[in-house]
Amino acid sequence: MKNKLLPTTVVGSHPKPKWLNHLIVEFEQGNLDKGVMESAFNDSVRAVVKVQELAGLDIFWDGEMRREEMTSYFAENIDGFTVYGPVRVWGNNYYKKPAITGELRYRDEFSLSDYRFLSSLTDRGIKVPLTGPYTIVDWSFNEHYNTKEDAVYALAEVINEELKALVAAGADFIQIDDPAISTHVDELEVAKKSVEIATKGVKAYIGLHICYGDYSKLYPQVLDFPVDQLDFELANKNFEDIKIFREHDFTKDIGFGCVDVHTKRVESVAEIKENITKSFEMVEPKQVYVDPDCGVKLLSPQKAFEKLKNMCDAAEELREEL
Ligand SMILES: [Zn+2]
C-alpha cells in the first residue's frame, strides 16, 4: 500500500461548503429532492478531491461530506438503531443520539458507494475511515442488549460485513475511528475484542485513530490491538506524549498527528518539518504516516487547505533530505 516514505494523508473530515450546509437544511425540511441533494454531495466531494490534489496529499478521503457526525450517520444505516431528536451533550451543543432498540443487523452499505465514487475521481491512495463499534455504542443509548459488551460485539459483526465489502470493491486502507477508547480505558479489552471482530478476515491495511485522551492509560496495551497502524494526535499536546511511546518498543506504524486542528494558526513548513522529525525519536521513518491530529472540519476551508499544503510540503522536503 505504501510506496513512498512519509506518505501524507487526512484523518477524515473536511470543512463543508456553506452552500452544502444550506442545502442539507432544505433537504431535511423536505424542500429538495433526493437527486438534487445527491448531486450536491457529489459536487462537494469533487471539490474536496481538488483541494487534496492541490495540497499534494498521497492518500485521500472524501472529507465526510455526507456524514453529519460520527455516530448517527452509521446508526441511520444499520438495522436495530432508532435515531431520536437532538440531545444536549455539553453546554449548548446538541447531537442526534442514536438508541439501540433491536437486534443490530447489516441492512445496506454505508460507506461502499462513497468509496466507489471517490475512487472514480482519483488515482491516489484512498483511506476509508469508519467509526468503531465501541465508540458508536458508547455514544448511543442501549435499550436492547443486556450488556454494553453484547451491543459492541453485535455491532462489530455488522461493521465486519461492511469492511469485507469495501475490500472486495478494492479498498486497501481502512481506518477505525475510536475516540471513546481514551475516555474508558477500563474497557480496553472490550474495545480490542470489537476491533478483532470488525477486522476478522479483512485483508487490508488497518489503522486505529484515537484522539484526545491520556495515552499513558492505554499504552502499551493498545499495541495488542490487531491493527497495522496507530494514529494519534500529537501536535495539540506539543509532542509531549512521545515520551510515553518511547517507554516501550512501538511495534506498529504510526499515523503521526503533526498539525494542530484546534488552532487557526497555520504552522509553517519549517515548523511542521521539525514536528515530523520528532516521530523519528520513537520509530523508523518507514513506519511514519504524516497527517493532522484529527479531521479538519472545524477549520475554515482556507485554513484547512493551508495547513494540509504546508504539511505536504514539509513531508516532501524531509523525503528529499532523508
Ligand atoms: Zn480524531
Side-chain angles (χ1 to χ4, degrees):
M1 135 107 254
K2 202 168 135 177
N3 50 16
K4 74 196 230 192
L5 218 48
L6 306 176
T8 52
T9 184
V10 289
V11 170
S13 71
H14 199 81
K16 287 194 178 91
K18 274 195 187 127
W19 57 263
L20 183 66
N21 285 324
H22 180 69
L23 291 181
I24 291 170
V25 171
E26 292 292 329
F27 178 68
E28 283 175 351
Q29 290 172 351
N31 302 329
L32 208 66
D33 73 56
K34 213 173 168 195
V36 175
M37 192 65 243
E38 193 51 31
S39 55
F41 280 131
N42 288 348
D43 285 346
S44 63
V45 172
R46 285 187 186 95
V48 169
V49 166
K50 191 45 83 181
V51 166
Q52 295 184 359
E53 272 171 15
L54 291 170
L57 285 153
D58 300 306
I59 302 166
F60 287 17
W61 180 235
D62 71 357
E64 302 182 355
M65 293 295 112
R66 288 174 174 81
R67 300 184 191 175
E68 189 181 348
E69 40 76 27
M70 289 183 66
T71 322
S72 63
Y73 175 81
F74 296 95
E76 277 163 2
N77 288 287
I78 294 169
D79 274 349
F81 277 107
T82 304
V83 180
Y84 296 138
V87 173
R88 189 169 183 161
V89 276
W90 72 93
N92 282 318
N93 291 284
Y94 292 80
Y95 86 112
K96 290 198 274 182
K97 187 165 176 172
I100 301 164
T101 52
E103 197 180 325
L104 295 171
R105 276 203 225 111
Y106 191 85
R107 179 168 69 223
D108 195 5
E109 61 91 7
F110 41 86
S111 60
L112 191 60
S113 54
D114 296 354
Y115 168 76
R116 285 206 173 108
F117 182 64
L118 179 60
S119 46
S120 76
L121 299 177
T122 181
D123 294 328
R124 302 274 175 106
I126 293 176
K127 164 165 89 176
V128 185
L130 290 143
T131 307
Y134 180 77
T135 293
I136 295 177
V137 170
D138 189 62
W139 292 357
S140 303
F141 298 111
N142 173 22
E143 299 170 4
H144 178 78
Y145 290 91
N146 288 331
T147 66
K148 183 177 177 184
E149 285 100 304
D150 289 347
V152 171
Y153 302 150
L155 184 57
E157 299 282 359
V158 174
I159 304 252
N160 179 251
E161 219 168 306
E162 179 76 356
L163 296 192
K164 284 181 180 159
L166 280 162
V167 172
D172 58 4
F173 188 173
I174 310 277
Q175 174 183 281
I176 296 172
D177 295 330
D178 251 332
I181 287 179
S182 61
T183 55
H184 296 285
V185 287
D186 53 315
E187 292 177 343
L188 214 49
E189 280 302 312
V190 178
K192 185 176 105 183
K193 195 168 165 198
S194 78
V195 174
E196 275 167 17
I197 296 168
T199 59
K200 199 171 164 209
V202 175
K203 300 208 172 0
Y205 181 90
I206 311 281
L208 178 69
H209 170 68
I210 304 175
C211 48
Y212 317 121
D214 181 353
Y215 295 143
S216 71
K217 298 268 169 46
L218 49 91
Y219 191 83
Q221 301 91 306
V222 71
L223 290 173
D224 295 332
F225 278 54
V227 298
D228 302 288
Q229 178 191 106
L230 295 169
D231 185 67
F232 294 131
E233 61 149 356
L234 290 143
N236 184 253
K237 285 186 274 178
N238 206 19
F239 304 91
E240 282 168 17
D241 289 335
I242 288 178
K243 64 176 184 297
I244 298 166
F245 302 128
R246 279 169 58 105
E247 282 171 21
H248 296 268
D249 190 16
F250 200 96
T251 51
K252 311 276 189 195
D253 290 346
I254 182 157
F256 194 77
C258 64
V259 167
D260 191 347
V261 299
H262 290 287
T263 166
K264 288 181 196 156
R265 185 180 68 84
V266 177
E267 298 91 336
S268 69
V269 174
E271 184 183 348
I272 300 172
K273 257 174 91 173
E274 205 186 311
N275 292 350
I276 299 168
T277 308
K278 293 184 174 119
S279 68
F280 308 151
E281 294 168 21
M282 51 181 282
V283 290
E284 297 290 321
K286 64 177 189 320
Q287 288 168 268
V288 178
Y289 282 68
V290 172
D291 66 3
D293 273 356
C294 194
V296 294
K297 73 173 174 190
L298 296 177
L299 293 163
S300 71
Q302 185 60 29
K303 298 283 182 196
F305 172 72
E306 287 171 13
K307 279 177 183 260
L308 292 173
K309 173 90 171 65
N310 284 1
M311 182 186 85
C312 293
D313 288 352
E316 181 60 28
E317 284 186 23
L318 265 179
R319 243 175 249 134
E320 282 162 15
E321 290 166 20
L322 283 169

